[in-house]
Amino acid sequence: MTRYFGVLLVLFACGQIDSLEAPARTFAIDYEHNCFRKDGMQFRYISGSIHYSRIPRFYWKDRLVKMKMAGLDAIYTYVPWNFHEQKPGVYNFSGDHDIVSFLQLANEIGLLVILRAGPYICAEWDMGGLPAWLLAKKSIVLRSSDPDYLQAVDSWMGVFLPKIKPLLYQNGGPIITVQVENEFGSYYTCDYNYLRHLLKLFRYYLGNDVVLFTTDGSGLPYVKCGSIQGLYTTVDFGPGANTPYAPQPTSYDYDAPLSEAGDLTDKYFAIRDVIKKYKQIPEGPVPPTTPKFAYGEINLEKVNSVLEALDVLAPYGSIKSAYPLTFDEIKQYFGFVLYRTKLPETYSDPALLTTFINGIRDRAYVAVNGVTQGILERDKVMSINITGIEGSQLDLLVESMGRVNFGRFNNDFKGLLTNVTIKGRTLANWTMYPLDIDTAVINGLLSKTSGLNTCNFTAPTFYKGELIIPSGIPDLPQDTFIKFTGWAKGQIWINGFNLGRYWPARGPQVTLYVPVHILTTQANNITVLELEGSPCDTGKCVVEFVDKPILNKNPGRFVEEFTFDNRE
């Protein structure tokens, strides 16, 4: 799943343009005169940030043209490693993942590029862009000269960097500088050998002419560990993000000049007016805000619970172990795993079910024989009371909410990290089912089952409906937003596209953005997985499509972190 981003940041570099003889296609730093030189001439640029991985390819041109028309000379963009290599050795550079086409488009529009190539990027992105499969070896030391980590980095960069070399400015492309790592001075390893290794790696693939740089927080301690000779040192506004484990809204819209949906804001025009004072901006109209449409309420129908649909949700079967295995140990890096065992004796009176040392990563929906017992939650709820008879089926549906992206705790393992006890007795003989919900939704495998329990609306359950685009109204479909009045927490798919999480009870974000490219003029299939309790037993069983976002309900309380493909 991608997200949509449009923050503009203004960077000024250098002073007046001189009249030196200009060689063809060069970009360099003139330390003697304290300026950049482009084609031999002194050069000043104004740049803005855009995350191609958070914007559907359908809207790349719209966003880039708007940035160009604001008066920007350049953009900078992060490269999330885990967006392109979700499994070891399996690479994705097509569709929304086609970074080469994104960079070529920027070049065609006339925007230079500052490429923030990683391997770590932070960016409020799952695990800071590092692939979760690195955690298959528990002892790995991320962002260091650990041989296992470097081997993975070398393999990735050996695929990625040759793709961007033809796009360097001196080769006719838009890339004027390339960032190595990101805010490494804030990381606990302070490993200069790691930075030296990256410097050699980037030089090997990109050559000696491209400007390589580092970025760190604006303080000497950060720069001390984050920079080495041979890499140009820059600073940002200072690191912060979700450490050790804190939430981030799905929208990822920091009051941006271009909104998540690409809307032109007052801030956009204010920035454009300031830029006009210092340079000529492109002539012509600014592309307008894309139209939005309120399609109204859509009725949903209960289909089946996660437990009832287990056969289609876990097509690869189960894994058995005496004690719980983590997501990472069973190579399930996102989404959900169902952990199942049996009660060892009868508990007529409430008995305390507990995970040691905060061992839930990150939420567990607990049921006995399909009857909801409660929720265990990382950092908040480590124990609940349950009841049941000996031999009853105990299920813990564990949800990964996304990996910490900043700081030393980004080796963020998921699942049940410790044993589970009941009244102090350790539970054993577990069966684990890795769930592949995306595939089940895409292939339409979720359908009503015979003997469906129509009374239990608190168990994790799927609901389905259809959005029919109105006829007789020109220019439909259009962008929209979906609202979850009365719903608690869950995820939604539209036409098989994993749109995101909703959690209106926590806020502040209440709506999710629905870009037009995932809609059709035919019936649009809506699938909702409600995890805690739907309104369908007591109220209207509907979701509502509206034409305006709601991003600031319950200020100070936030939804959990959104991850790169939103299966997290």
Side-chain angles (χ1 to χ4, degrees):
M1 167 62 190
T2 48
R3 272 289 139 198
Y4 319 98
F5 182 64
V7 166
L8 304 182
L9 296 179
V10 181
L11 272 169
F12 290 94
C14 199
Q16 300 297 315
I17 296 178
D18 63 19
S19 58
L20 295 177
E21 191 71 25
R25 304 292 297 187
T26 62
F27 187 87
I29 301 171
D30 184 342
Y31 290 97
E32 182 179 354
H33 296 94
N34 193 31
C35 70
F36 293 129
R37 289 195 181 274
K38 178 173 170 284
D39 302 336
M41 307 290 285
Q42 286 189 358
F43 180 65
R44 178 182 71 185
Y45 68 86
I46 306 172
S47 75
S49 175
I50 179 171
H51 296 187
Y52 71 95
S53 53
R54 282 183 160 110
I55 302 171
R57 182 174 183 156
F58 181 85
Y59 274 131
W60 282 351
K61 185 173 182 179
D62 175 81
R63 309 305 194 253
L64 289 173
V65 170
K66 286 172 179 173
M67 297 177 82
K68 178 69 175 180
M69 295 304 293
L72 300 189
D73 306 292
I75 60 168
Y76 65 85
T77 193
Y78 286 112
V79 181
W81 176 4
N82 56 18
F83 189 59
H84 298 283
E85 192 182 1
Q86 295 182 13
K87 295 180 180 179
V90 180
Y91 303 99
N92 187 351
F93 291 100
S94 63
D96 290 345
H97 303 253
D98 189 354
I99 183 175
V100 171
S101 292
F102 176 81
L103 296 172
Q104 290 171 338
L105 182 59
N107 200 29
E108 293 168 9
I109 291 170
L111 288 164
L112 299 170
V113 173
I114 297 95
L115 191 67
R116 311 183 76 172
Y120 168 83
I121 61 169
C122 187
E124 294 70 57
W125 189 270
D126 187 75
M127 208 165 145
L130 300 178
W133 49 258
L134 291 172
L135 301 178
K137 184 171 184 179
K138 286 187 176 181
S139 62
I140 195 168
V141 182
L142 303 175
R143 303 178 69 193
S144 78
S145 49
D146 179 300
D148 293 308
Y149 176 69
L150 289 184
Q151 182 180 17
V153 170
D154 291 350
S155 296
W156 158 242
M157 290 300 178
V159 172
F160 172 65
L161 292 179
K163 289 182 178 292
I164 67 166
K165 185 174 183 180
L167 296 166
L168 298 178
Y169 182 76
Q170 58 266 34
N171 296 331
I175 301 172
I176 53 174
T177 59
V178 177
Q179 182 177 327
V180 178
E181 248 281 344
N182 186 50
E183 295 174 342
F184 186 66
S186 303
Y187 199 57
Y188 76 100
T189 54
C190 196
D191 187 340
Y192 295 115
N193 288 331
Y194 169 53
L195 289 182
R196 293 187 187 101
H197 180 91
L198 293 181
L199 175 58
K200 291 179 182 178
L201 186 67
F202 278 58
R203 286 292 178 213
Y204 176 81
Y205 287 109
L206 300 182
N208 294 321
D209 294 332
V210 64
V211 174
L212 301 178
F213 71 98
T214 60
T215 295
D216 283 288
S218 54
L220 288 178
Y222 300 127
V223 174
K224 178 182 177 182
C225 286
S227 60
I228 60 170
Q229 187 174 358
L231 292 171
Y232 181 57
T233 301
T234 70
V235 296
D236 56 23
F237 298 112
N242 71 327
T243 184
Y245 175 74
Q248 295 168 198
T250 295
S251 168
Y252 196 60
D253 186 341
Y254 290 97
D255 188 28
L258 290 175
S259 76
E260 176 188 27
D263 296 343
L264 302 167
T265 68
D266 291 342
K267 182 181 286 188
Y268 174 91
F269 291 104
I271 290 175
R272 191 169 184 258
D273 288 341
V274 171
I275 293 174
K276 282 181 183 178
K277 297 177 181 179
Y278 298 93
K279 58 167 287 189
Q280 183 176 354
I281 64 172
E283 296 181 357
V286 177
T289 289
T290 56
K292 313 297 188 297
F293 193 83
Y295 299 100
E297 293 183 342
I298 303 298
N299 291 314
L300 298 185
E301 181 182 30
K302 182 176 179 180
V303 179
N304 42 29
S305 71
V306 169
L307 298 184
E308 291 163 338
L310 190 56
D311 286 346
V312 298
L313 295 178
Y316 308 112
S318 61
I319 299 102
K320 295 183 183 295
S321 174
Y323 301 105
L325 301 175
T326 67
F327 279 33
D328 312 280
E329 289 172 319
I330 63 176
K331 296 181 170 55
Q332 173 83 350
Y333 298 113
F334 313 103
F336 298 83
V337 171
L338 179 70
Y339 291 78
R340 173 172 287 175
T341 188
K342 293 185 180 299
L343 294 182
E345 58 184 278
T346 295
Y347 302 98
S348 300
D349 297 323
L352 199 63
L353 185 78
T354 302
T355 61
F356 284 114
I357 338 172
N358 198 14
I360 290 290
R361 296 291 188 274
D362 297 299
R363 288 169 66 84
Y365 306 89
V366 183
V368 174
N369 285 345
V371 178
T372 300
Q373 303 290 306
I375 300 172
L376 299 169
E377 184 172 359
R378 178 178 182 173
D379 295 339
K380 295 182 179 180
V381 182
M382 273 62 80
S383 301
I384 61 170
N385 284 313
I386 69 171
T387 58
I389 63 173
E390 181 180 353
S392 294
Q393 181 175 284
L394 173 66
D395 289 319
L396 279 72
L397 178 64
V398 178
E399 178 187 14
S400 166
M401 292 297 300
R403 289 176 173 82
V404 172
N405 67 67
F406 180 79
R408 66 180 301 157
F409 299 107
N410 63 348
N411 58 336
D412 193 12
F413 297 93
K414 296 299 179 182
L416 294 182
L417 273 56
T418 62
N419 284 329
V420 180
T421 66
I422 184 167
K423 290 189 70 173
R425 179 175 179 174
T426 299
L427 296 173
N429 301 319
W430 290 87
T431 303
M432 287 145 284
Y433 298 85
L435 304 189
D436 185 359
I437 300 177
D438 280 349
T439 297
V441 173
I442 290 170
N443 293 331
L445 301 179
L446 298 170
S447 58
K448 272 192 173 182
T449 56
S450 58
L452 177 66
N453 181 357
T454 57
C455 298
N456 186 358
F457 289 90
T458 59
T461 298
F462 291 96
Y463 297 81
K464 295 180 73 172
E466 286 188 346
L467 165 64
I468 306 296
I469 302 299
S471 60
I473 301 176
D475 302 322
L476 291 185
Q478 294 175 355
D479 285 359
T480 187
F481 303 90
I482 190 165
K483 183 180 176 183
F484 301 88
T485 302
W487 299 81
K489 180 186 187 298
Q491 288 182 228
I492 181 171
W493 294 256
I494 297 181
N495 293 329
F497 184 89
N498 192 336
L499 190 68
R501 289 196 184 97
Y502 62 88
W503 203 349
R506 292 275 176 103
Q509 183 168 349
V510 173
T511 57
L512 291 177
Y513 171 52
V514 183
V516 66
H517 77 291
I518 70 172
L519 300 176
T520 73
T521 55
Q522 308 301 317
N524 294 276
N525 296 315
I526 301 171
T527 303
V528 171
L529 170 58
E530 172 56 51
L531 295 166
E532 297 185 9
S534 78
C536 299
D537 58 338
T538 59
K540 292 194 297 186
C541 194
V542 301
V543 292
E544 183 181 6
F545 288 90
V546 297
D547 57 6
K548 292 181 177 59
I550 303 173
L551 302 178
N552 60 353
K553 180 184 177 183
N554 300 332
R557 304 183 69 191
F558 297 89
V559 295
E560 294 290 341
E561 179 189 358
F562 170 83
T563 60
F564 74 91
D565 67 356
N566 213 37
R567 292 176 298 169
E568 258 298 87

